[in-house]
Amino acid sequence: MKQFEFVVQDAMGIHARPAADMAAAAKKFISHILLKKEEMEADLKNPLAIMRLAVRQKERVTITATGDDENQAIEQLKDLIANIGLSQDR
């Protein structure tokens, strides 16, 4: 299992466009990938599930990947999240 945590920087939080971008990226991997906010979690391959978490700006979330390609999944998702402006990390 690999994971990383970040604080959402986008003023709108995780809305439809970043949710769709993250889901599209996650679907490229066979690993089971989750987005966690506090006690709630969503399948990162499902954009509607991501949006149901209602993640707002300045909230801390964790992405967890479990599977054969977990390292690649986490690295690509870190890059994507930085590139779409959700996080200043990377």
Side-chain angles (χ1 to χ4, degrees):
M1 178 178 77
K2 294 287 183 177
Q3 64 182 25
F4 77 98
E5 189 175 88
F6 66 97
V7 176
V8 175
Q9 299 299 319
D10 189 299
M12 295 175 63
I14 299 179
H15 51 90
R17 184 173 299 140
D21 290 345
M22 288 191 298
K27 287 177 184 177
K28 296 176 184 175
F29 300 98
I30 59 172
S31 291
H32 183 65
I33 306 172
L34 295 175
L35 177 67
K36 296 181 181 181
K37 173 188 154 186
E38 298 168 1
E39 300 300 317
M40 300 178 294
E41 63 184 29
D43 180 351
L44 199 64
K45 296 177 183 180
N46 181 335
L48 293 177
I50 296 168
M51 291 179 56
R52 276 194 292 269
L53 292 180
V55 179
R56 297 187 212 157
Q57 183 181 32
K58 301 207 186 290
E59 289 189 312
R60 183 172 300 277
V61 294
T62 303
I63 293 179
T64 303
T66 306
D68 292 340
D69 56 359
E70 62 191 24
N71 290 325
Q72 299 93 327
I74 289 295
E75 289 307 312
Q76 285 193 19
L77 288 165
K78 281 182 183 179
D79 288 343
L80 172 71
I81 286 164
N83 289 336
I84 63 176
L86 280 181
S87 171
Q88 293 177 343
D89 298 340
R90 198 67 180 158

